[in-house]
Amino acid sequence: MVPTIHPSVIYVKANGEETDSAQYAGSAPIVGRFYANPEDVGDYRASYEWRFRMQGEAEPYLIRYDEDTEYTFTSSGEHTIVLYATFINGTDTVAYKEDFWADPDMQPFSIVISESRLEMPNAFSPNDDDINDVYKAKRDWQSLVEFHAAIYNRWGQKLFEWDDPNDGWDGTFHGQPVKQGVYFVEVKAKGADGRKYHIRRDVNLLREHRDAEGSTGPSD
């Protein structure tokens, strides 16, 4: 029997969703779990090289030597990943390298990490109508590898802070609703593309404001 490999991958998004697509695009951070899936190894001694390379670069930026490996992608751009495997039994060598990946049926794994984006709204309305009740980053944020936000009142007192752009402020302090009015948010974040964000702006807390259809007012 001749040893073979059947490389596979599972990509895991920050929210826990998984995909086994060999080619994938998404927002950082994304965890890649790579599996060699060798068969018929028998008495052969196996060695593995997972090679991670940025598109357009000749040399890999990372090589892992485990049969299975995991890596968190936090840099924007297109990453390609291949597995080189060698099996040795005495004078018999079976190798899967460039020729293996040159086969049209064996495309390298690839993942495209999008450029970062972050905007914060200027208003929200925590009135329990399930519309704009929480002050948080606008929903189109993407590829943030660092994030910290804090809410202050007009006297500079910190009321709330959070480290996940999916989370936000519900308009309370020590469990009690704060008054309608103007507050202040400061956000520091870093994108997968290296971009740094420092956002400082007013936040209008509107408890009773609704439009003609009963929904709360603007939050852009």
Side-chain angles (χ1 to χ4, degrees):
M1 302 291 288
V2 176
T4 59
I5 56 172
H6 305 275
S8 64
V9 62
I10 294 177
Y11 293 118
V12 185
K13 298 193 292 185
N15 63 4
E17 292 182 7
E18 298 182 357
T19 177
D20 59 1
S21 174
Q23 284 74 45
Y24 183 68
S27 173
I30 293 177
V31 175
R33 296 171 181 164
F34 300 90
Y35 305 92
N37 298 314
E39 293 183 357
D40 301 320
V41 175
D43 294 329
Y44 285 82
R45 178 170 53 85
S47 62
Y48 304 94
E49 289 185 14
W50 289 98
R51 297 189 170 206
F52 296 74
R53 180 174 59 86
M54 294 297 297
Q55 184 69 22
E57 297 292 331
E59 298 298 324
Y61 63 82
L62 175 67
I63 299 178
R64 293 277 180 82
Y65 297 97
D66 302 310
E67 177 179 323
D68 303 324
T69 193
E70 180 176 303
Y71 181 73
T72 301
F73 296 90
T74 58
S75 298
S76 64
E78 182 175 355
H79 306 249
T80 60
I81 304 95
V82 297
L83 170 63
Y84 287 2
T86 303
F87 301 91
I88 299 175
N89 184 9
T91 60
D92 187 17
T93 299
V94 178
Y96 298 93
K97 295 187 177 182
E98 292 90 345
D99 291 345
F100 176 75
W101 291 102
D103 186 328
D105 294 330
M106 287 303 305
Q107 293 183 351
F109 300 120
S110 71
I111 179 169
V112 179
I113 300 297
S114 57
E115 295 183 351
S116 64
R117 181 187 299 129
L118 175 63
E119 293 182 82
M120 302 298 294
N122 66 357
F124 77 122
S125 52
N127 51 16
D128 297 324
D129 63 355
D130 295 325
I131 302 173
N132 203 26
D133 282 335
V134 177
Y135 183 80
K136 57 177 25 176
K138 289 189 177 182
R139 66 182 63 185
D140 63 350
W141 70 267
Q142 62 184 25
S143 286
L144 300 178
V145 294
E146 296 177 13
F147 179 90
H148 181 80
I151 296 287
Y152 301 87
N153 62 20
R154 61 180 177 173
W155 296 283
Q157 181 184 19
K158 184 186 295 185
L159 305 181
F160 188 74
E161 59 185 332
W162 68 103
D163 295 314
D164 184 341
N166 289 305
D167 296 334
W169 182 44
D170 64 359
T172 64
F173 181 57
H174 291 326
Q176 299 298 316
V178 300
K179 293 181 180 180
Q180 177 169 297
V182 179
Y183 296 84
F184 180 77
V185 66
E186 182 172 24
V187 180
K188 293 184 179 181
K190 182 179 179 181
D193 48 7
R195 181 178 178 184
K196 294 183 178 180
Y197 297 84
H198 189 187
I199 299 172
R200 304 174 68 185
R201 70 177 307 173
D202 291 343
V203 177
N204 294 282
L205 190 156
L206 309 170
R207 292 200 179 276
E208 303 300 332
H209 182 68
R210 296 172 181 271
D211 63 22
E213 297 181 353
S215 62
T216 54
S219 61
D220 57 358

